[in-house]
Amino acid sequence: MAAAPVRQRSGPGGPRAQLPPCYYEGYLEKRGPKEKASRRLWTCLCGNSLYFFNNAKDTHYVEKLDLSGFVSLKDDCSRDRNLEAARLILRMKDGETKLTAPNLESRELWKGFLYSVVDLNVPSCLTLLPGQLQMLKEVVDKERSRRRTRTPTRAPPSPLSVPLVGEIPPCFRPVSRTEAEVLLERHPDCGNMLLRPGRDGCSLAVTTRQDLNGSVFRHYRVTQRDQGGYVIDVENPIPCATLHEVIDALVEKTAGTLQPFLLEEPYEENITYVSANDENGERILHTAPTSPLPKAPALPPKQGFSPLSRSPAPDRRILTSPVPASPTNPMRRLILSPSPLAQTLNEELKMKLEKRRASQE
């Protein structure tokens, strides 16, 4: 029997009727961190928890897995005796739970519903149909509404009532002790030490995570001194002038083993928008084109024109005056001396004229 969308069941007054709303259900094989063999159980995703029943008709669940300690979810590519089965590894704060779905499609749907409930967002990394994505969106809306209206089971962490001195380090996170542990375990590549508010609201705390056959968490109190500055409350207190020095001191004391937690928030790589289909009215998510806008073509340079070139100098010719030069002539002009070639031609012409005159006489 494959996993199926929700059909709310109303048992005859059993505990199942008192569970949070069921978003998805179906058979899964489950093996917890302390179990040696898998069991085939009817699994219901109700609210932010997985409830396991011996079969689909039972009203009393046999196990419950709270997803508030969720760390990661990944595919298990190891082979199963059932070739169509698809495995999952659900990693929680207290260990790993191995789940096996009947087929790849069922596994993809379980991943979609689990991510939607944990992150309160429809996952974009899965291969799902538009109708399935719409189901996940409805689950996200229902779970957000349920969390807003439910009675809190524990008191929220006290806000920090003491004004901080100096600039706040980028590894500061306004989270509780448990949330800090989950953050550090879920993002080990982003650092292993963060600064957060203390439980009493009057101090700060540093939470660290290291790996020693599993996660090892440590919490250090940081109090503000009356005379200014801060102190790390350990056996030999470490005074620091600013919160940046608190972080630097822990990095230095551990020879760089502890590093500030810097989580880079993801940003979209493409511009997307939602529009309605003109034919059926269905709203679809579109990706805007990524090609750059066309630029106006540049005008070609004028032929033979160079902005740096200069116009040639005008041809300055000096004409000879037919009037002989005379010191009494006020319009005296400068006469260039003839060139040798011109002088030779003049002489030859003069000789020919003289010969012609002599022959005529």
mmCIF file with all atom_site columns, all heavy atoms in Angstrom, residues 70-71 93 173-188 190-191 194 209 217 261 263:
data_model
loop_
_atom_site.group_PDB
_atom_site.id
_atom_site.type_symbol
_atom_site.label_atom_id
_atom_site.label_alt_id
_atom_site.label_comp_id
_atom_site.label_asym_id
_atom_site.label_entity_id
_atom_site.label_seq_id
_atom_site.pdbx_PDB_ins_code
_atom_site.Cartn_x
_atom_site.Cartn_y
_atom_site.Cartn_z
_atom_site.occupancy
_atom_site.B_iso_or_equiv
_atom_site.pdbx_formal_charge
_atom_site.auth_seq_id
_atom_site.auth_comp_id
_atom_site.auth_asym_id
_atom_site.auth_atom_id
_atom_site.pdbx_PDB_model_num
ATOM 1   N N   . PHE A 1 70  ? 15.272 18.039 14.051 1.00 0.00 ? 70  PHE A N   1
ATOM 2   C CA  . PHE A 1 70  ? 15.690 17.700 12.683 1.00 0.00 ? 70  PHE A CA  1
ATOM 3   C C   . PHE A 1 70  ? 17.048 18.328 12.360 1.00 0.00 ? 70  PHE A C   1
ATOM 4   O O   . PHE A 1 70  ? 17.288 19.490 12.645 1.00 0.00 ? 70  PHE A O   1
ATOM 5   C CB  . PHE A 1 70  ? 14.634 18.196 11.700 1.00 0.00 ? 70  PHE A CB  1
ATOM 6   C CG  . PHE A 1 70  ? 14.988 17.982 10.248 1.00 0.00 ? 70  PHE A CG  1
ATOM 7   C CD1 . PHE A 1 70  ? 14.664 16.813 9.608  1.00 0.00 ? 70  PHE A CD1 1
ATOM 8   C CD2 . PHE A 1 70  ? 15.645 18.973 9.531  1.00 0.00 ? 70  PHE A CD2 1
ATOM 9   C CE1 . PHE A 1 70  ? 14.982 16.620 8.266  1.00 0.00 ? 70  PHE A CE1 1
ATOM 10  C CE2 . PHE A 1 70  ? 15.961 18.793 8.197  1.00 0.00 ? 70  PHE A CE2 1
ATOM 11  C CZ  . PHE A 1 70  ? 15.626 17.611 7.562  1.00 0.00 ? 70  PHE A CZ  1
ATOM 12  N N   . VAL A 1 71  ? 17.931 17.514 11.741 1.00 0.00 ? 71  VAL A N   1
ATOM 13  C CA  . VAL A 1 71  ? 19.244 17.998 11.302 1.00 0.00 ? 71  VAL A CA  1
ATOM 14  C C   . VAL A 1 71  ? 19.359 17.938 9.785  1.00 0.00 ? 71  VAL A C   1
ATOM 15  O O   . VAL A 1 71  ? 19.667 18.923 9.131  1.00 0.00 ? 71  VAL A O   1
ATOM 16  C CB  . VAL A 1 71  ? 20.380 17.196 11.960 1.00 0.00 ? 71  VAL A CB  1
ATOM 17  C CG1 . VAL A 1 71  ? 21.737 17.623 11.403 1.00 0.00 ? 71  VAL A CG1 1
ATOM 18  C CG2 . VAL A 1 71  ? 20.360 17.359 13.470 1.00 0.00 ? 71  VAL A CG2 1
ATOM 19  N N   . LYS A 1 93  ? 18.893 15.096 16.129 1.00 0.00 ? 93  LYS A N   1
ATOM 20  C CA  . LYS A 1 93  ? 19.911 15.440 17.129 1.00 0.00 ? 93  LYS A CA  1
ATOM 21  C C   . LYS A 1 93  ? 20.381 14.242 17.915 1.00 0.00 ? 93  LYS A C   1
ATOM 22  O O   . LYS A 1 93  ? 21.549 14.141 18.296 1.00 0.00 ? 93  LYS A O   1
ATOM 23  C CB  . LYS A 1 93  ? 19.340 16.482 18.094 1.00 0.00 ? 93  LYS A CB  1
ATOM 24  C CG  . LYS A 1 93  ? 19.741 17.899 17.785 1.00 0.00 ? 93  LYS A CG  1
ATOM 25  C CD  . LYS A 1 93  ? 19.329 18.813 18.898 1.00 0.00 ? 93  LYS A CD  1
ATOM 26  C CE  . LYS A 1 93  ? 19.931 18.331 20.208 1.00 0.00 ? 93  LYS A CE  1
ATOM 27  N NZ  . LYS A 1 93  ? 19.566 19.181 21.349 1.00 0.00 ? 93  LYS A NZ  1
ATOM 28  N N   . ARG A 1 173 ? 23.675 35.077 17.317 1.00 0.00 ? 173 ARG A N   1
ATOM 29  C CA  . ARG A 1 173 ? 22.376 34.604 16.842 1.00 0.00 ? 173 ARG A CA  1
ATOM 30  C C   . ARG A 1 173 ? 21.377 34.662 17.989 1.00 0.00 ? 173 ARG A C   1
ATOM 31  O O   . ARG A 1 173 ? 21.670 34.142 19.076 1.00 0.00 ? 173 ARG A O   1
ATOM 32  C CB  . ARG A 1 173 ? 22.479 33.167 16.341 1.00 0.00 ? 173 ARG A CB  1
ATOM 33  C CG  . ARG A 1 173 ? 23.281 33.022 15.075 1.00 0.00 ? 173 ARG A CG  1
ATOM 34  C CD  . ARG A 1 173 ? 22.403 33.182 13.869 1.00 0.00 ? 173 ARG A CD  1
ATOM 35  N NE  . ARG A 1 173 ? 23.166 33.391 12.651 1.00 0.00 ? 173 ARG A NE  1
ATOM 36  C CZ  . ARG A 1 173 ? 22.642 33.440 11.454 1.00 0.00 ? 173 ARG A CZ  1
ATOM 37  N NH1 . ARG A 1 173 ? 21.338 33.315 11.316 1.00 0.00 ? 173 ARG A NH1 1
ATOM 38  N NH2 . ARG A 1 173 ? 23.381 33.648 10.396 1.00 0.00 ? 173 ARG A NH2 1
ATOM 39  N N   . PRO A 1 174 ? 20.208 35.283 17.789 1.00 0.00 ? 174 PRO A N   1
ATOM 40  C CA  . PRO A 1 174 ? 19.203 35.350 18.863 1.00 0.00 ? 174 PRO A CA  1
ATOM 41  C C   . PRO A 1 174 ? 18.419 34.044 18.971 1.00 0.00 ? 174 PRO A C   1
ATOM 42  O O   . PRO A 1 174 ? 17.226 33.972 18.670 1.00 0.00 ? 174 PRO A O   1
ATOM 43  C CB  . PRO A 1 174 ? 18.318 36.516 18.408 1.00 0.00 ? 174 PRO A CB  1
ATOM 44  C CG  . PRO A 1 174 ? 18.410 36.506 16.925 1.00 0.00 ? 174 PRO A CG  1
ATOM 45  C CD  . PRO A 1 174 ? 19.794 36.034 16.586 1.00 0.00 ? 174 PRO A CD  1
ATOM 46  N N   . VAL A 1 175 ? 19.088 32.982 19.403 1.00 0.00 ? 175 VAL A N   1
ATOM 47  C CA  . VAL A 1 175 ? 18.476 31.657 19.480 1.00 0.00 ? 175 VAL A CA  1
ATOM 48  C C   . VAL A 1 175 ? 18.647 31.098 20.889 1.00 0.00 ? 175 VAL A C   1
ATOM 49  O O   . VAL A 1 175 ? 19.443 31.597 21.703 1.00 0.00 ? 175 VAL A O   1
ATOM 50  C CB  . VAL A 1 175 ? 19.109 30.696 18.454 1.00 0.00 ? 175 VAL A CB  1
ATOM 51  C CG1 . VAL A 1 175 ? 18.825 31.164 17.035 1.00 0.00 ? 175 VAL A CG1 1
ATOM 52  C CG2 . VAL A 1 175 ? 20.619 30.587 18.662 1.00 0.00 ? 175 VAL A CG2 1
ATOM 53  N N   . SER A 1 176 ? 17.886 30.032 21.184 1.00 0.00 ? 176 SER A N   1
ATOM 54  C CA  . SER A 1 176 ? 18.001 29.352 22.471 1.00 0.00 ? 176 SER A CA  1
ATOM 55  C C   . SER A 1 176 ? 19.164 28.359 22.432 1.00 0.00 ? 176 SER A C   1
ATOM 56  O O   . SER A 1 176 ? 19.811 28.166 21.397 1.00 0.00 ? 176 SER A O   1
ATOM 57  C CB  . SER A 1 176 ? 16.696 28.618 22.787 1.00 0.00 ? 176 SER A CB  1
ATOM 58  O OG  . SER A 1 176 ? 16.478 27.586 21.842 1.00 0.00 ? 176 SER A OG  1
ATOM 59  N N   . ARG A 1 177 ? 19.398 27.706 23.568 1.00 0.00 ? 177 ARG A N   1
ATOM 60  C CA  . ARG A 1 177 ? 20.477 26.721 23.650 1.00 0.00 ? 177 ARG A CA  1
ATOM 61  C C   . ARG A 1 177 ? 20.244 25.567 22.673 1.00 0.00 ? 177 ARG A C   1
ATOM 62  O O   . ARG A 1 177 ? 21.149 25.174 21.925 1.00 0.00 ? 177 ARG A O   1
ATOM 63  C CB  . ARG A 1 177 ? 20.568 26.191 25.086 1.00 0.00 ? 177 ARG A CB  1
ATOM 64  C CG  . ARG A 1 177 ? 21.562 25.046 25.263 1.00 0.00 ? 177 ARG A CG  1
ATOM 65  C CD  . ARG A 1 177 ? 21.500 24.498 26.670 1.00 0.00 ? 177 ARG A CD  1
ATOM 66  N NE  . ARG A 1 177 ? 22.142 25.391 27.617 1.00 0.00 ? 177 ARG A NE  1
ATOM 67  C CZ  . ARG A 1 177 ? 23.074 25.026 28.485 1.00 0.00 ? 177 ARG A CZ  1
ATOM 68  N NH1 . ARG A 1 177 ? 23.483 23.775 28.523 1.00 0.00 ? 177 ARG A NH1 1
ATOM 69  N NH2 . ARG A 1 177 ? 23.590 25.887 29.321 1.00 0.00 ? 177 ARG A NH2 1
ATOM 70  N N   . THR A 1 178 ? 19.024 25.039 22.648 1.00 0.00 ? 178 THR A N   1
ATOM 71  C CA  . THR A 1 178 ? 18.721 23.918 21.764 1.00 0.00 ? 178 THR A CA  1
ATOM 72  C C   . THR A 1 178 ? 18.809 24.330 20.303 1.00 0.00 ? 178 THR A C   1
ATOM 73  O O   . THR A 1 178 ? 19.357 23.599 19.461 1.00 0.00 ? 178 THR A O   1
ATOM 74  C CB  . THR A 1 178 ? 17.316 23.365 22.062 1.00 0.00 ? 178 THR A CB  1
ATOM 75  O OG1 . THR A 1 178 ? 17.254 22.988 23.440 1.00 0.00 ? 178 THR A OG1 1
ATOM 76  C CG2 . THR A 1 178 ? 17.003 22.161 21.198 1.00 0.00 ? 178 THR A CG2 1
ATOM 77  N N   . GLU A 1 179 ? 18.280 25.503 19.975 1.00 0.00 ? 179 GLU A N   1
ATOM 78  C CA  . GLU A 1 179 ? 18.341 25.975 18.590 1.00 0.00 ? 179 GLU A CA  1
ATOM 79  C C   . GLU A 1 179 ? 19.782 26.215 18.146 1.00 0.00 ? 179 GLU A C   1
ATOM 80  O O   . GLU A 1 179 ? 20.122 25.992 16.977 1.00 0.00 ? 179 GLU A O   1
ATOM 81  C CB  . GLU A 1 179 ? 17.523 27.255 18.446 1.00 0.00 ? 179 GLU A CB  1
ATOM 82  C CG  . GLU A 1 179 ? 16.021 27.041 18.590 1.00 0.00 ? 179 GLU A CG  1
ATOM 83  C CD  . GLU A 1 179 ? 15.257 28.348 18.753 1.00 0.00 ? 179 GLU A CD  1
ATOM 84  O OE1 . GLU A 1 179 ? 15.879 29.361 19.138 1.00 0.00 ? 179 GLU A OE1 1
ATOM 85  O OE2 . GLU A 1 179 ? 14.039 28.342 18.505 1.00 0.00 ? 179 GLU A OE2 1
ATOM 86  N N   . ALA A 1 180 ? 20.629 26.652 19.052 1.00 0.00 ? 180 ALA A N   1
ATOM 87  C CA  . ALA A 1 180 ? 22.043 26.854 18.721 1.00 0.00 ? 180 ALA A CA  1
ATOM 88  C C   . ALA A 1 180 ? 22.706 25.519 18.382 1.00 0.00 ? 180 ALA A C   1
ATOM 89  O O   . ALA A 1 180 ? 23.485 25.419 17.422 1.00 0.00 ? 180 ALA A O   1
ATOM 90  C CB  . ALA A 1 180 ? 22.765 27.534 19.883 1.00 0.00 ? 180 ALA A CB  1
ATOM 91  N N   . GLU A 1 181 ? 22.396 24.481 19.153 1.00 0.00 ? 181 GLU A N   1
ATOM 92  C CA  . GLU A 1 181 ? 22.967 23.159 18.883 1.00 0.00 ? 181 GLU A CA  1
ATOM 93  C C   . GLU A 1 181 ? 22.516 22.641 17.520 1.00 0.00 ? 181 GLU A C   1
ATOM 94  O O   . GLU A 1 181 ? 23.318 22.089 16.752 1.00 0.00 ? 181 GLU A O   1
ATOM 95  C CB  . GLU A 1 181 ? 22.567 22.182 19.990 1.00 0.00 ? 181 GLU A CB  1
ATOM 96  C CG  . GLU A 1 181 ? 23.181 22.506 21.345 1.00 0.00 ? 181 GLU A CG  1
ATOM 97  C CD  . GLU A 1 181 ? 22.730 21.528 22.424 1.00 0.00 ? 181 GLU A CD  1
ATOM 98  O OE1 . GLU A 1 181 ? 21.890 20.659 22.109 1.00 0.00 ? 181 GLU A OE1 1
ATOM 99  O OE2 . GLU A 1 181 ? 23.200 21.642 23.574 1.00 0.00 ? 181 GLU A OE2 1
ATOM 100 N N   . VAL A 1 182 ? 21.241 22.822 17.211 1.00 0.00 ? 182 VAL A N   1
ATOM 101 C CA  . VAL A 1 182 ? 20.726 22.362 15.915 1.00 0.00 ? 182 VAL A CA  1
ATOM 102 C C   . VAL A 1 182 ? 21.389 23.117 14.774 1.00 0.00 ? 182 VAL A C   1
ATOM 103 O O   . VAL A 1 182 ? 21.773 22.540 13.748 1.00 0.00 ? 182 VAL A O   1
ATOM 104 C CB  . VAL A 1 182 ? 19.191 22.519 15.864 1.00 0.00 ? 182 VAL A CB  1
ATOM 105 C CG1 . VAL A 1 182 ? 18.670 22.225 14.467 1.00 0.00 ? 182 VAL A CG1 1
ATOM 106 C CG2 . VAL A 1 182 ? 18.524 21.597 16.879 1.00 0.00 ? 182 VAL A CG2 1
ATOM 107 N N   . LEU A 1 183 ? 21.546 24.437 14.917 1.00 0.00 ? 183 LEU A N   1
ATOM 108 C CA  . LEU A 1 183 ? 22.194 25.240 13.872 1.00 0.00 ? 183 LEU A CA  1
ATOM 109 C C   . LEU A 1 183 ? 23.621 24.764 13.612 1.00 0.00 ? 183 LEU A C   1
ATOM 110 O O   . LEU A 1 183 ? 24.043 24.588 12.466 1.00 0.00 ? 183 LEU A O   1
ATOM 111 C CB  . LEU A 1 183 ? 22.205 26.707 14.293 1.00 0.00 ? 183 LEU A CB  1
ATOM 112 C CG  . LEU A 1 183 ? 21.092 27.622 13.782 1.00 0.00 ? 183 LEU A CG  1
ATOM 113 C CD1 . LEU A 1 183 ? 21.281 29.029 14.318 1.00 0.00 ? 183 LEU A CD1 1
ATOM 114 C CD2 . LEU A 1 183 ? 21.049 27.640 12.274 1.00 0.00 ? 183 LEU A CD2 1
ATOM 115 N N   . LEU A 1 184 ? 24.387 24.560 14.683 1.00 0.00 ? 184 LEU A N   1
ATOM 116 C CA  . LEU A 1 184 ? 25.783 24.154 14.528 1.00 0.00 ? 184 LEU A CA  1
ATOM 117 C C   . LEU A 1 184 ? 25.899 22.759 13.925 1.00 0.00 ? 184 LEU A C   1
ATOM 118 O O   . LEU A 1 184 ? 26.816 22.492 13.141 1.00 0.00 ? 184 LEU A O   1
ATOM 119 C CB  . LEU A 1 184 ? 26.487 24.198 15.890 1.00 0.00 ? 184 LEU A CB  1
ATOM 120 C CG  . LEU A 1 184 ? 26.694 25.592 16.495 1.00 0.00 ? 184 LEU A CG  1
ATOM 121 C CD1 . LEU A 1 184 ? 27.293 25.489 17.885 1.00 0.00 ? 184 LEU A CD1 1
ATOM 122 C CD2 . LEU A 1 184 ? 27.576 26.459 15.607 1.00 0.00 ? 184 LEU A CD2 1
ATOM 123 N N   . GLU A 1 185 ? 24.971 21.877 14.271 1.00 0.00 ? 185 GLU A N   1
ATOM 124 C CA  . GLU A 1 185 ? 25.038 20.515 13.735 1.00 0.00 ? 185 GLU A CA  1
ATOM 125 C C   . GLU A 1 185 ? 24.534 20.456 12.301 1.00 0.00 ? 185 GLU A C   1
ATOM 126 O O   . GLU A 1 185 ? 25.019 19.667 11.496 1.00 0.00 ? 185 GLU A O   1
ATOM 127 C CB  . GLU A 1 185 ? 24.225 19.562 14.615 1.00 0.00 ? 185 GLU A CB  1
ATOM 128 C CG  . GLU A 1 185 ? 24.447 18.103 14.273 1.00 0.00 ? 185 GLU A CG  1
ATOM 129 C CD  . GLU A 1 185 ? 23.986 17.183 15.370 1.00 0.00 ? 185 GLU A CD  1
ATOM 130 O OE1 . GLU A 1 185 ? 23.100 17.574 16.148 1.00 0.00 ? 185 GLU A OE1 1
ATOM 131 O OE2 . GLU A 1 185 ? 24.507 16.056 15.456 1.00 0.00 ? 185 GLU A OE2 1
ATOM 132 N N   . ARG A 1 186 ? 23.575 21.307 11.979 1.00 0.00 ? 186 ARG A N   1
ATOM 133 C CA  . ARG A 1 186 ? 23.019 21.283 10.626 1.00 0.00 ? 186 ARG A CA  1
ATOM 134 C C   . ARG A 1 186 ? 23.955 21.930 9.619  1.00 0.00 ? 186 ARG A C   1
ATOM 135 O O   . ARG A 1 186 ? 23.941 21.583 8.434  1.00 0.00 ? 186 ARG A O   1
ATOM 136 C CB  . ARG A 1 186 ? 21.671 21.999 10.615 1.00 0.00 ? 186 ARG A CB  1
ATOM 137 C CG  . ARG A 1 186 ? 20.908 21.849 9.305  1.00 0.00 ? 186 ARG A CG  1
ATOM 138 C CD  . ARG A 1 186 ? 19.569 22.547 9.363  1.00 0.00 ? 186 ARG A CD  1
ATOM 139 N NE  . ARG A 1 186 ? 18.654 21.931 10.313 1.00 0.00 ? 186 ARG A NE  1
ATOM 140 C CZ  . ARG A 1 186 ? 17.420 22.348 10.536 1.00 0.00 ? 186 ARG A CZ  1
ATOM 141 N NH1 . ARG A 1 186 ? 16.948 23.400 9.872  1.00 0.00 ? 186 ARG A NH1 1
ATOM 142 N NH2 . ARG A 1 186 ? 16.646 21.742 11.403 1.00 0.00 ? 186 ARG A NH2 1
ATOM 143 N N   . HIS A 1 187 ? 24.786 22.874 10.053 1.00 0.00 ? 187 HIS A N   1
ATOM 144 C CA  . HIS A 1 187 ? 25.694 23.588 9.138  1.00 0.00 ? 187 HIS A CA  1
ATOM 145 C C   . HIS A 1 187 ? 27.130 23.513 9.666  1.00 0.00 ? 187 HIS A C   1
ATOM 146 O O   . HIS A 1 187 ? 27.702 24.521 10.089 1.00 0.00 ? 187 HIS A O   1
ATOM 147 C CB  . HIS A 1 187 ? 25.265 25.047 8.995  1.00 0.00 ? 187 HIS A CB  1
ATOM 148 C CG  . HIS A 1 187 ? 23.837 25.225 8.584  1.00 0.00 ? 187 HIS A CG  1
ATOM 149 N ND1 . HIS A 1 187 ? 23.408 25.078 7.288  1.00 0.00 ? 187 HIS A ND1 1
ATOM 150 C CD2 . HIS A 1 187 ? 22.728 25.529 9.311  1.00 0.00 ? 187 HIS A CD2 1
ATOM 151 C CE1 . HIS A 1 187 ? 22.100 25.292 7.219  1.00 0.00 ? 187 HIS A CE1 1
ATOM 152 N NE2 . HIS A 1 187 ? 21.673 25.568 8.432  1.00 0.00 ? 187 HIS A NE2 1
ATOM 153 N N   . PRO A 1 188 ? 27.731 22.330 9.644  1.00 0.00 ? 188 PRO A N   1
ATOM 154 C CA  . PRO A 1 188 ? 29.089 22.209 10.203 1.00 0.00 ? 188 PRO A CA  1
ATOM 155 C C   . PRO A 1 188 ? 30.144 22.960 9.411  1.00 0.00 ? 188 PRO A C   1
ATOM 156 O O   . PRO A 1 188 ? 31.206 23.284 9.944  1.00 0.00 ? 188 PRO A O   1
ATOM 157 C CB  . PRO A 1 188 ? 29.345 20.688 10.164 1.00 0.00 ? 188 PRO A CB  1
ATOM 158 C CG  . PRO A 1 188 ? 28.446 20.182 9.080  1.00 0.00 ? 188 PRO A CG  1
ATOM 159 C CD  . PRO A 1 188 ? 27.232 21.048 9.111  1.00 0.00 ? 188 PRO A CD  1
ATOM 160 N N   . CYS A 1 190 ? 29.947 25.959 8.326  1.00 0.00 ? 190 CYS A N   1
ATOM 161 C CA  . CYS A 1 190 ? 29.856 27.407 8.533  1.00 0.00 ? 190 CYS A CA  1
ATOM 162 C C   . CYS A 1 190 ? 30.532 27.862 9.820  1.00 0.00 ? 190 CYS A C   1
ATOM 163 O O   . CYS A 1 190 ? 30.449 29.039 10.170 1.00 0.00 ? 190 CYS A O   1
ATOM 164 C CB  . CYS A 1 190 ? 28.386 27.837 8.551  1.00 0.00 ? 190 CYS A CB  1
ATOM 165 S SG  . CYS A 1 190 ? 27.526 27.529 7.004  1.00 0.00 ? 190 CYS A SG  1
ATOM 166 N N   . GLY A 1 191 ? 31.176 26.968 10.545 1.00 0.00 ? 191 GLY A N   1
ATOM 167 C CA  . GLY A 1 191 ? 31.804 27.313 11.824 1.00 0.00 ? 191 GLY A CA  1
ATOM 168 C C   . GLY A 1 191 ? 31.243 26.451 12.940 1.00 0.00 ? 191 GLY A C   1
ATOM 169 O O   . GLY A 1 191 ? 30.246 25.729 12.767 1.00 0.00 ? 191 GLY A O   1
ATOM 170 N N   . LEU A 1 194 ? 29.066 29.905 18.216 1.00 0.00 ? 194 LEU A N   1
ATOM 171 C CA  . LEU A 1 194 ? 28.202 31.076 18.048 1.00 0.00 ? 194 LEU A CA  1
ATOM 172 C C   . LEU A 1 194 ? 27.902 31.718 19.395 1.00 0.00 ? 194 LEU A C   1
ATOM 173 O O   . LEU A 1 194 ? 27.929 31.070 20.437 1.00 0.00 ? 194 LEU A O   1
ATOM 174 C CB  . LEU A 1 194 ? 26.925 30.720 17.297 1.00 0.00 ? 194 LEU A CB  1
ATOM 175 C CG  . LEU A 1 194 ? 25.895 29.749 17.870 1.00 0.00 ? 194 LEU A CG  1
ATOM 176 C CD1 . LEU A 1 194 ? 25.023 30.375 18.925 1.00 0.00 ? 194 LEU A CD1 1
ATOM 177 C CD2 . LEU A 1 194 ? 25.003 29.214 16.746 1.00 0.00 ? 194 LEU A CD2 1
ATOM 178 N N   . ARG A 1 209 ? 30.462 23.436 19.130 1.00 0.00 ? 209 ARG A N   1
ATOM 179 C CA  . ARG A 1 209 ? 30.252 22.031 18.737 1.00 0.00 ? 209 ARG A CA  1
ATOM 180 C C   . ARG A 1 209 ? 31.547 21.488 18.162 1.00 0.00 ? 209 ARG A C   1
ATOM 181 O O   . ARG A 1 209 ? 32.189 22.108 17.326 1.00 0.00 ? 209 ARG A O   1
ATOM 182 C CB  . ARG A 1 209 ? 29.152 21.912 17.697 1.00 0.00 ? 209 ARG A CB  1
ATOM 183 C CG  . ARG A 1 209 ? 28.991 20.500 17.140 1.00 0.00 ? 209 ARG A CG  1
ATOM 184 C CD  . ARG A 1 209 ? 28.131 20.447 15.891 1.00 0.00 ? 209 ARG A CD  1
ATOM 185 N NE  . ARG A 1 209 ? 28.114 19.111 15.323 1.00 0.00 ? 209 ARG A NE  1
ATOM 186 C CZ  . ARG A 1 209 ? 28.989 18.637 14.446 1.00 0.00 ? 209 ARG A CZ  1
ATOM 187 N NH1 . ARG A 1 209 ? 29.991 19.418 14.032 1.00 0.00 ? 209 ARG A NH1 1
ATOM 188 N NH2 . ARG A 1 209 ? 28.903 17.408 13.974 1.00 0.00 ? 209 ARG A NH2 1
ATOM 189 N N   . PHE A 1 217 ? 28.798 19.183 22.502 1.00 0.00 ? 217 PHE A N   1
ATOM 190 C CA  . PHE A 1 217 ? 28.432 20.589 22.672 1.00 0.00 ? 217 PHE A CA  1
ATOM 191 C C   . PHE A 1 217 ? 28.940 21.104 24.012 1.00 0.00 ? 217 PHE A C   1
ATOM 192 O O   . PHE A 1 217 ? 28.933 20.384 25.019 1.00 0.00 ? 217 PHE A O   1
ATOM 193 C CB  . PHE A 1 217 ? 26.912 20.764 22.595 1.00 0.00 ? 217 PHE A CB  1
ATOM 194 C CG  . PHE A 1 217 ? 26.323 20.419 21.257 1.00 0.00 ? 217 PHE A CG  1
ATOM 195 C CD1 . PHE A 1 217 ? 25.696 19.201 21.057 1.00 0.00 ? 217 PHE A CD1 1
ATOM 196 C CD2 . PHE A 1 217 ? 26.410 21.306 20.198 1.00 0.00 ? 217 PHE A CD2 1
ATOM 197 C CE1 . PHE A 1 217 ? 25.161 18.877 19.825 1.00 0.00 ? 217 PHE A CE1 1
ATOM 198 C CE2 . PHE A 1 217 ? 25.869 20.989 18.957 1.00 0.00 ? 217 PHE A CE2 1
ATOM 199 C CZ  . PHE A 1 217 ? 25.249 19.771 18.773 1.00 0.00 ? 217 PHE A CZ  1
ATOM 200 N N   . PHE A 1 261 ? 30.706 31.058 13.848 1.00 0.00 ? 261 PHE A N   1
ATOM 201 C CA  . PHE A 1 261 ? 29.663 30.519 12.979 1.00 0.00 ? 261 PHE A CA  1
ATOM 202 C C   . PHE A 1 261 ? 29.138 31.646 12.081 1.00 0.00 ? 261 PHE A C   1
ATOM 203 O O   . PHE A 1 261 ? 28.555 32.615 12.564 1.00 0.00 ? 261 PHE A O   1
ATOM 204 C CB  . PHE A 1 261 ? 28.522 29.950 13.825 1.00 0.00 ? 261 PHE A CB  1
ATOM 205 C CG  . PHE A 1 261 ? 27.384 29.369 13.022 1.00 0.00 ? 261 PHE A CG  1
ATOM 206 C CD1 . PHE A 1 261 ? 27.491 28.101 12.481 1.00 0.00 ? 261 PHE A CD1 1
ATOM 207 C CD2 . PHE A 1 261 ? 26.216 30.086 12.830 1.00 0.00 ? 261 PHE A CD2 1
ATOM 208 C CE1 . PHE A 1 261 ? 26.451 27.558 11.747 1.00 0.00 ? 261 PHE A CE1 1
ATOM 209 C CE2 . PHE A 1 261 ? 25.171 29.550 12.101 1.00 0.00 ? 261 PHE A CE2 1
ATOM 210 C CZ  . PHE A 1 261 ? 25.289 28.284 11.561 1.00 0.00 ? 261 PHE A CZ  1
ATOM 211 N N   . LEU A 1 263 ? 26.793 31.968 8.894  1.00 0.00 ? 263 LEU A N   1
ATOM 212 C CA  . LEU A 1 263 ? 25.862 31.320 7.979  1.00 0.00 ? 263 LEU A CA  1
ATOM 213 C C   . LEU A 1 263 ? 25.518 32.273 6.853  1.00 0.00 ? 263 LEU A C   1
ATOM 214 O O   . LEU A 1 263 ? 24.971 33.350 7.087  1.00 0.00 ? 263 LEU A O   1
ATOM 215 C CB  . LEU A 1 263 ? 24.582 30.901 8.711  1.00 0.00 ? 263 LEU A CB  1
ATOM 216 C CG  . LEU A 1 263 ? 23.508 30.214 7.870  1.00 0.00 ? 263 LEU A CG  1
ATOM 217 C CD1 . LEU A 1 263 ? 24.052 28.912 7.279  1.00 0.00 ? 263 LEU A CD1 1
ATOM 218 C CD2 . LEU A 1 263 ? 22.266 29.948 8.696  1.00 0.00 ? 263 LEU A CD2 1
#
